[in-house]
Amino acid sequence: MAVGRVLGTQAASPLSFWIGIEPGQAVQLDEVVITRRDVPGHGPVLMAGIVTTVEARHEGASFDSDVFLIAEGTLPAAVVECAEVRVTRVEPEVFVPPSPGAVVYRAQAADRDQALYFDVMDRRIPMGLGRDGHPMYVNFDFLDGTRGAHVSISGVSGVATKTSFATFLIYSIFNSGVLEAESANTKALIFSVKGEDLLFLDHPNARLDEAATNMYGRLGLPARPFHSVHVFAPPRPGDPNGVPHVSARTQGVSAFFWTLSEFCDEELLRFVFADADDERAQYSLLVGAVAARLQAWATPAGDGGAVVITVPGGGGVTCRTFADLVDHIADQLTDDGTRATWAGAQVPLGTVNAFLRRLRGAVRALAPIVRGELPSGRPHSISTSDAQVSIVDLHNLPERAQRFVVGVVLRGEFARKESSGTARPLLFVVLDELNKYAPREGDSPIKEILLDVAERGRSLGVILIGAQQTASEVERRIVANCAVRVAGRLDPAEASRPEYGWLPAISRERATIAKPGTMFVAQPEIPVPLAVTFPFPAWATRPSEAGPAPSTAARRTVADPFAGLPGADDDIPPF
């Protein structure tokens, strides 16, 4: 459909040109248009682009007040609309400007796919609908590590729908068919810090209406919740049985914690000091020294995870809680006779005191998840093998404990992928508040792991989908390694920062007024970010939206002591 002609009053170039809009027609931002030109020696050349600016004016008016005279009909003038088009593709690559007066068409079907490089995407996944109501795609080669990996999502908290887009992207990957036979074994690990909103991904959304369902149909996706979800939550503080600390969900939830034996053997002490400023403190070397002593001198005491710490040449001390362990370390470091054994002879007392202040300050935060007194034999580790989507609920933990969990879990999953020796199956890690875990300034154990994921995760099949309010506060190397960049609603001051240089000026302005559900997505193949609208979640995003519970919730398998008894299923219950 013809929408206008290339203007001759504005200079056209091989990279951008202006079009005059035909009377009775209209174009809007982000629409895809095409024009053609016969070039001697090359034949017809397709020039396709995206509308980046639309303007309307009175042609013939000289003064601002003329608008009133024109409206009254006493001054003749014509209303003229024109639009700027930024070229996305020239096929074949003969870079000449379009001819003034050439007819410009709204791209349809194959022309649209060619303009946006969808025709060369062998593996593509839908990421939402464009302004024209047709699907927009992202090249999976830039997500699974084939040609690139990782996603960075930025936007204002509560408005940019960063987490919703991240979960939709995961859903699209799992249900678009791009994974083929690998779909069942591909996993997603989601860290949840916003209440219990993400604990019902396997429940249908009761607010899903027909319009949203049709939107899924246009994207070629089923409108249904995730089918395999396992939730991990910390134990309730003070609960002797380690019941998961969640209130709205009861099925498919497991408690996670680390025993004191694991804490010592795996040298997890360094993750207690996971703040960026801790690594700049003088006691960072002391942390490593004490962790090494715990690994060497701690032995299990029974089956509940408690430890006996035996210093060479001395007696053993049993620790059954994290507070016991901290008290014992404090006793050893404040005693003049044992301090050198634990810390070394050259460590000043002031450094020891600073170390102990931070360690004692962590007791309240970590006591629920570092245990040695719970009943033995129960599963308590976070694993991605039980379900396709594993959710680690952190919202009930203090920030210090959240850092500990994120650091330890990421280290474990990254080590597991390294030991497997293969990038398949893929593991997608969704981490919100990335600026908290990998800040631009300072160093920390978590930041080291996230840098490792960003730089080597592509070859190991670990794909990071990071979300943050401010990309300007995230470590540069992590953002630079993200092949796909996404922005939702942005704060005006944040949008002006150089970290958003991938957004054209007009897109930056639009991002400050973007509605929830509208995202700007940049990927390496397409020179212009695409504005997409993704559908309302088909899965519950908060407890109040949760529909009927799934028939089978992913959970750890527990042996049934009555399994196999004849007629057990036919017995009449005694109540």
Side-chain angles (χ1 to χ4, degrees):
M1 178 186 297
V3 295
R5 293 180 179 272
V6 178
L7 286 180
T9 55
Q10 298 274 0
S13 77
L15 301 180
S16 66
F17 57 90
W18 286 79
I19 62 174
I21 310 303
E22 293 273 4
Q25 293 290 332
V27 297
Q28 58 179 326
L29 297 177
D30 306 312
E31 284 203 69
V32 185
V33 297
I34 63 167
T35 186
R36 288 179 170 85
R37 174 183 172 180
D38 282 322
V39 180
H42 297 280
V45 175
L46 170 74
M47 302 170 192
I50 292 178
V51 176
T52 56
T53 304
V54 181
E55 297 179 351
R57 68 179 186 276
H58 273 137
E59 195 169 55
S62 302
F63 305 101
D64 293 342
S65 59
D66 288 348
V67 65
F68 302 103
L69 300 176
I70 295 170
E72 295 169 358
T74 58
L75 182 66
V79 176
V80 176
E81 288 190 34
C82 58
E84 184 183 26
V85 177
R86 185 168 176 180
V87 174
T88 57
R89 188 169 183 180
V90 178
E91 194 67 37
E93 289 192 335
V94 180
F95 290 98
V96 295
S99 300
V103 180
V104 178
Y105 300 89
R106 183 175 283 112
Q108 302 286 344
D111 285 337
R112 180 179 181 272
D113 286 353
Q114 194 172 20
L116 300 177
Y117 292 85
F118 295 158
D119 61 324
V120 296
M121 295 182 183
D122 295 328
R123 300 184 304 157
R124 61 187 192 181
I125 60 171
M127 58 179 177
L129 297 179
R131 193 70 61 186
D132 55 4
H134 295 291
M136 292 287 195
Y137 300 96
V138 61
N139 194 339
F140 193 58
D141 285 354
F142 292 103
L143 286 179
D144 73 342
T146 302
R147 299 164 62 188
H150 313 309
V151 181
S152 173
I153 308 174
S154 304
V156 178
S157 179
V159 181
T161 56
K162 302 184 298 295
T163 306
S164 297
F165 183 75
T167 53
F168 172 75
L169 192 61
I170 292 291
Y171 179 82
S172 184
I173 291 171
F174 286 159
N175 292 275
S176 63
V178 71
L179 291 170
E180 299 178 343
E182 296 179 1
S183 177
N185 294 322
T186 301
K187 309 292 184 180
L189 175 63
I190 302 176
F191 292 96
S192 173
V193 296
K194 298 177 179 177
E196 298 188 0
D197 292 352
L198 292 180
L199 305 192
F200 296 89
L201 297 185
D202 53 346
H203 288 60
N205 195 321
R207 294 173 53 199
L208 187 71
D209 56 18
E210 185 178 355
T213 303
N214 292 337
M215 195 170 177
Y216 280 94
R218 279 184 281 170
L219 292 171
L221 298 172
R224 65 190 182 199
F226 290 84
H227 74 278
S228 176
V229 173
H230 192 146
V231 177
F232 296 90
R236 294 183 182 275
D239 188 288
N241 297 311
V243 176
H245 193 186
V246 293
S247 58
R249 177 168 181 146
T250 57
Q251 292 186 337
V253 184
S254 299
F256 71 84
F257 59 90
W258 288 267
T259 65
L260 287 177
S261 179
E262 292 167 341
F263 182 87
C264 296
D265 185 59
E266 298 173 17
E267 296 189 82
L268 302 185
L269 181 66
R270 63 193 302 257
F271 291 100
V272 178
F273 300 81
D275 293 341
D277 58 347
D278 284 330
E279 288 294 306
R280 299 195 297 268
Q282 295 180 352
Y283 52 74
S284 58
L285 294 178
L286 181 57
V287 174
V290 174
R293 303 297 187 273
L294 291 175
Q295 185 186 47
W297 296 341
T299 55
D303 298 328
V307 293
V308 176
I309 301 177
T310 307
V311 179
V317 175
T318 301
C319 301
R320 299 192 181 278
T321 65
F322 185 63
D324 292 343
L325 181 65
V326 172
D327 288 341
H328 180 62
I329 294 173
D331 292 341
Q332 296 295 300
L333 290 177
T334 53
D335 190 320
D336 293 338
T338 57
R339 184 185 309 122
T341 305
W342 281 78
Q346 305 301 321
V347 178
L349 185 59
T351 300
V352 171
N353 290 334
F355 167 83
L356 290 178
R357 281 196 301 270
R358 293 286 291 170
L359 186 59
R360 289 191 180 105
V363 171
R364 184 176 181 181
L366 296 183
I369 57 175
V370 180
R371 314 289 288 264
E373 81 286 9
L374 292 180
S376 61
R378 57 172 39 194
H380 61 270
S381 59
I382 296 172
S383 171
T384 57
S385 61
D386 298 332
Q388 190 172 51
V389 179
S390 301
I391 301 170
V392 182
D393 180 33
L394 304 175
H395 83 279
N396 280 319
L397 292 176
E399 185 172 314
R400 190 157 191 180
Q402 292 180 8
R403 294 177 188 272
F404 179 86
V405 174
V406 170
V408 174
V409 172
L410 284 181
R411 187 186 74 164
E413 288 299 318
F414 199 68
R416 180 183 64 81
K417 290 291 289 182
E418 278 187 310
S419 63
S420 69
T422 176
R424 298 295 200 229
L426 298 173
L427 171 65
F428 291 91
V429 177
V430 179
L431 181 60
D432 198 0
E433 299 183 5
L434 189 59
N435 51 301
K436 180 173 74 175
Y437 300 107
R440 178 153 298 188
E441 304 297 332
D443 295 301
S444 72
I446 302 178
K447 184 175 177 178
E448 292 175 9
I449 293 170
L450 288 170
L451 274 171
D452 219 9
V453 170
E455 295 173 348
R456 296 197 300 126
R458 170 184 170 184
S459 60
L460 296 173
V462 181
I463 312 302
L464 175 66
I465 301 178
Q468 61 279 325
Q469 293 187 47
T470 51
S472 59
E473 296 180 1
V474 179
E475 167 61 41
R476 289 184 180 90
R477 286 181 290 170
I478 292 179
V479 177
N481 276 284
C482 293
V484 178
R485 303 188 186 188
V486 184
R489 176 79 167 266
L490 292 176
D491 176 79
E494 177 69 9
S496 65
R497 296 184 179 273
E499 286 74 18
Y500 299 92
W502 54 273
L503 278 173
I506 189 67
S507 297
R508 293 193 193 196
E509 293 180 21
R510 289 180 54 214
T512 62
I513 60 171
K515 291 183 177 180
T518 298
M519 314 297 282
F520 299 89
V521 184
Q523 52 185 313
E525 277 181 322
I526 306 175
V528 178
L530 302 179
V532 302
T533 302
F534 65 96
F536 186 78
W539 48 91
T541 58
R542 53 178 59 92
S544 61
E545 295 176 350
S551 56
T552 56
R555 66 191 72 186
R556 291 184 182 272
T557 16
V558 180
D560 181 3
F562 302 103
L565 293 179
D569 294 336
D570 300 327
D571 291 343
I572 300 175
F575 50 81

